[in-house]
Amino acid sequence: MTSTLFFLASPKTTASPPNRLSVPGFPPPRLHSLRRRAAVSVRASIATRPRPTVIPFDPAVETKQDVGSGRKLAAWTSIRQERWEGELVVEGEIPLWLKGTYLRNGPGIWNIDDYNFRHLFDGYATLVRVCFEHGGVKASHRQIESEAYKAAMKNRRLCYREFSEAPKPASFLAYVGELASLFSGASLTDNSNTGVVRLGDGRVVCLTETIKGSVQIDPDTLDTVGRFAYEDNLGGLIHSAHPIVTESEFLTLLPDLVRPGYLVVRMEPGSNERKVVGRVNCRGGPAPGWVHSFAVTDRYVVVPEMPLRYCLHNLLRAEPTPLYKFEWHSDSGSYMHVMSKATGKIVASVEVPPFLTFHFINAYEEVDENGRVTGIIADCCEHNADTSILDMLRLQNLRSFTGLDVLPDARVGRFRIPLDGSTRGELHAALDPEEHGRGMDMCSINPAYLGKKYRYAYACGARRPCNFPNTLTKIDLVEKKAKDWHEDGAVPSEPFFVARPGATEEDDGVVISIVSDKNGEGHALMLDGATFEEIARAKFPYGLPYGLHGCWVPKM
């Protein structure tokens, strides 16, 4: 691997102000009666806001990417216009203590003119901002101006390799040149459509699985500041899309496709230099297992190695295979590795039953009566080692729900990794999957419990029949029970937990999710973190595409 992918940040993008549009005769949003009452834990210090004016979209400035006509559900259709900003109508009461900005990233444009993308993960990134203050809500959205997006808009064609899409070369020589640029990383996308994180120094970075797809944005204006340039010589093409970010550090994994393994690296606040903590060598397979995410405890980094492995052969294909850039190697074994943060040494490497996960939830250390760490518990959204979930996320499948129950089963997969030198670990369901409808993904926890023993997780579950997770679910890992929020035909995105300042209970806070309604509309939903009852919703002027992951920027 070379360091050819480390670019200097681009100059700050100059853009016109956000559209502030008014359409005469635009009907005011219909207010719905609340079906649930707010709980006592968030009822105090609330304000009921007078009804503001919604700033609607103007069809005259809609982008050419709108492929949603004729479909009511906005979740799987391209965003109606490139940017919007306005105040939202609040139905219900928002706690006065909720002050700050929720940012959510995800794919938002799935076509270029009449060329339609295949997969959910192909879409060009749309960043949504929901700002809470004094019981009111302002919102905006904007496209992240990656090089891939700008090139596509300028040339009206795909110019970089996305998750399942590749540019069509004009000739054989062009194809050879495209392969050369693939090995250098030049043709890989920088479309940062997966996550958004706030670093310990306050900078906000949008991410995807390519290293060049780390893009800094302004959380107040949603301006694209430029590429986040890592100032080191570690090289590589890809990293985990979900780093572990706290006020004191940034940890991520760099898969090594040449000598199969992973570098665990750390970056301090205020720095762009990643430093190596240690290396994990893969124990099976021809390539590293996919590491979309991983887990940490106070003392350790937990590195998964699953049978879904990167595949260079599939990466070179112009047309996607059923597993896209990966291959399933059932005979390669599945492993969990544990590295000391302090020394970089591997303290455990155990074989576990086959598993498939996109997202780890949390991990913590088991301690005996003498204070000695005896094992690691690591929880994830586990898909029963069933790779069909990847193909289920093709847009054609998401847009064509027929009422059949086709969503593959998932569970809260709980690993136990012994630290006594044992060669095998355990994997089982942390609670009965029927509690959450056998659907489980897009999870969050109270960040104060990161790496510590915890009780609650918030995720997307299922109320069947369905073809995609359609509930918001609170998981109680002590009582082994789940509680759902569900609205017929709606598609909620990742539930994000924001703790109440000064809270002493783990679930004392608010859960935020952006929901796509079945009628084509959408809203930001707020649930009580303790009771999981709806306390408020703030309606957008139109439905937004399904988003992936978010972060919280507190008001300073």
Side-chain angles (χ1 to χ4, degrees):
M1 297 292 181
T2 67
S3 58
T4 55
L5 284 184
F6 294 94
F7 299 85
L8 295 176
S10 304
K12 184 172 181 177
T13 304
T14 302
S16 57
N19 295 310
R20 300 180 181 274
L21 306 168
S22 178
V23 178
F26 187 89
R30 179 171 59 91
L31 295 181
H32 304 272
S33 61
L34 282 174
R35 295 164 300 140
R36 301 181 175 98
R37 296 185 63 186
V40 174
S41 62
V42 294
R43 189 178 292 153
S45 300
I46 53 179
T48 303
R49 298 282 295 174
R51 177 168 158 153
T53 301
V54 171
I55 305 170
F57 76 95
D58 184 348
V61 299
E62 284 190 80
T63 62
K64 296 180 180 180
Q65 293 80 21
D66 183 13
V67 296
S69 57
R71 300 189 184 97
K72 287 188 176 181
L73 187 64
W76 318 124
T77 59
S78 293
I79 193 79
R80 292 188 177 189
Q81 59 191 55
E82 289 187 343
R83 66 186 67 171
W84 176 87
E85 179 177 343
E87 190 171 0
L88 303 187
V89 170
V90 175
E91 173 196 350
E93 299 172 326
I94 295 174
L96 285 176
W97 61 258
L98 190 65
K99 297 178 182 178
T101 298
Y102 172 60
L103 297 174
R104 191 200 70 174
N105 193 9
I109 292 180
W110 287 293
N111 67 300
I112 304 169
D113 297 330
D114 59 354
Y115 180 82
N116 294 315
F117 295 168
R118 297 181 183 92
H119 200 277
L120 173 65
F121 297 160
D122 290 325
Y124 293 118
T126 299
L127 194 62
V128 180
R129 179 178 185 266
V130 184
C131 183
F132 300 88
E133 189 171 17
H134 305 307
V137 182
K138 294 181 179 179
S140 57
H141 69 72
R142 187 166 178 177
Q143 295 306 116
I144 296 175
E145 295 180 349
S146 63
E147 295 303 317
Y149 172 71
K150 291 189 293 184
M153 296 301 99
K154 177 181 178 180
N155 299 294
R156 311 312 305 172
R157 62 180 176 83
L158 190 74
C159 298
Y160 290 83
R161 284 179 174 259
E162 301 296 338
F163 181 80
S164 77
E165 299 284 344
K168 301 298 187 288
S171 65
F172 177 74
L173 287 178
Y175 173 69
V176 172
E178 205 273 334
L179 291 183
S181 66
L182 173 62
F183 282 107
S184 71
S187 70
L188 293 179
T189 189
D190 65 342
N191 174 26
S192 52
N193 67 358
T194 304
V196 54
V197 297
R198 178 182 178 272
L199 304 182
D201 55 29
R203 292 179 293 176
V204 176
V205 180
C206 296
L207 298 160
T208 188
E209 297 204 350
T210 62
I211 290 174
K212 65 190 287 190
S214 302
V215 176
Q216 186 178 347
I217 62 98
D218 184 320
D220 297 320
T221 64
L222 301 188
D223 285 346
T224 299
V225 176
R227 182 167 295 159
F228 185 90
Y230 298 99
E231 298 171 351
D232 52 56
N233 296 314
L234 295 179
L237 302 176
I238 54 179
H239 58 183
S240 172
H242 291 280
I244 303 293
V245 182
T246 67
E247 291 297 319
S248 61
E249 66 181 1
F250 171 108
L251 287 165
T252 194
L253 304 182
L254 307 183
D256 186 340
L257 304 182
V258 177
R259 295 187 304 119
Y262 313 93
L263 285 182
V264 178
V265 300
R266 175 189 287 121
M267 186 172 68
E268 296 180 354
S271 172
N272 287 38
E273 182 183 3
R274 300 164 302 174
K275 297 180 179 179
V276 176
V277 177
R279 177 184 167 90
V280 174
N281 292 318
C282 289
R283 291 179 55 183
W290 185 30
V291 283
H292 186 70
S293 68
F294 62 104
V296 299
T297 71
D298 285 341
R299 299 177 180 89
Y300 302 106
V301 180
V302 181
V303 180
E305 182 186 345
M306 60 184 178
L308 187 67
R309 298 179 181 272
Y310 298 99
C311 176
L312 183 60
H313 180 67
N314 286 353
L315 186 64
L316 296 175
R317 289 175 178 263
E319 296 296 324
T321 70
L323 294 182
Y324 302 94
K325 313 305 182 189
F326 314 107
E327 278 186 341
W328 182 259
H329 292 270
S330 57
D331 59 348
S332 70
S334 303
Y335 307 93
M336 296 292 283
H337 310 278
V338 179
M339 176 184 291
S340 167
K341 287 182 181 179
T343 66
K345 293 182 178 179
I346 306 299
V347 300
S349 180
V350 299
E351 188 168 5
V352 295
F355 68 99
L356 175 67
T357 184
F358 292 69
H359 300 118
F360 275 82
I361 302 171
N362 198 17
Y364 61 89
E365 300 159 10
E366 285 187 320
V367 180
D368 64 16
E369 62 275 10
N370 298 317
R372 185 174 61 92
V373 180
T374 59
I376 303 294
I377 299 296
D379 295 336
C380 69
C381 303
E382 204 276 307
H383 296 274
N384 294 307
D386 181 0
T387 60
S388 66
I389 184 63
L390 273 171
D391 212 42
M392 273 302 304
L393 298 179
R394 283 190 298 125
L395 291 165
Q396 179 182 356
N397 293 331
L398 297 173
R399 291 168 176 164
S400 58
F401 179 53
T402 61
L404 298 177
D405 191 18
V406 295
L407 177 67
D409 288 357
R411 60 181 177 168
V412 178
R414 170 159 287 187
F415 294 95
R416 185 182 185 278
I417 308 165
L419 298 186
D420 60 2
S422 300
T423 60
R424 296 194 64 85
E426 302 171 9
L427 171 61
H428 63 272
L431 74 163
D432 184 351
E434 293 292 346
E435 283 286 326
H436 46 81
R438 306 188 321 280
M440 179 53 49
D441 216 332
M442 311 302 286
C443 48
S444 74
I445 63 169
N446 184 330
Y449 289 78
L450 175 68
K452 306 178 188 303
K453 192 168 185 177
Y454 71 118
R455 178 173 181 173
Y456 301 111
Y458 302 91
C460 291
R463 186 168 297 185
R464 295 174 182 269
C466 60
N467 68 339
F468 193 81
N470 58 1
T471 71
L472 298 172
T473 300
K474 179 183 180 181
I475 302 292
D476 185 331
L477 293 164
V478 174
E479 296 293 332
K480 300 189 180 301
K481 295 291 184 181
K483 183 178 291 188
D484 289 344
W485 174 94
H486 176 264
E487 199 163 83
D488 184 51
V491 177
S493 62
E494 174 188 67
F496 191 88
F497 181 85
V498 180
R500 182 179 63 81
T504 57
E505 298 296 326
E506 182 180 345
D507 59 352
D508 186 357
V510 167
V511 175
I512 303 169
S513 175
I514 295 177
V515 179
S516 176
D517 298 331
K518 66 178 180 181
N519 59 4
E521 298 178 345
H523 60 272
L525 176 72
M526 281 67 73
L527 303 177
D528 182 304
T531 67
F532 221 52
E533 300 291 328
E534 180 176 333
I535 59 173
R537 59 177 65 188
K539 187 174 181 181
F540 293 103
Y542 48 84
L544 300 179
Y546 183 79
L548 297 177
H549 304 288
C551 74
W552 180 253
V553 180
K555 184 174 180 60
M556 307 305 289

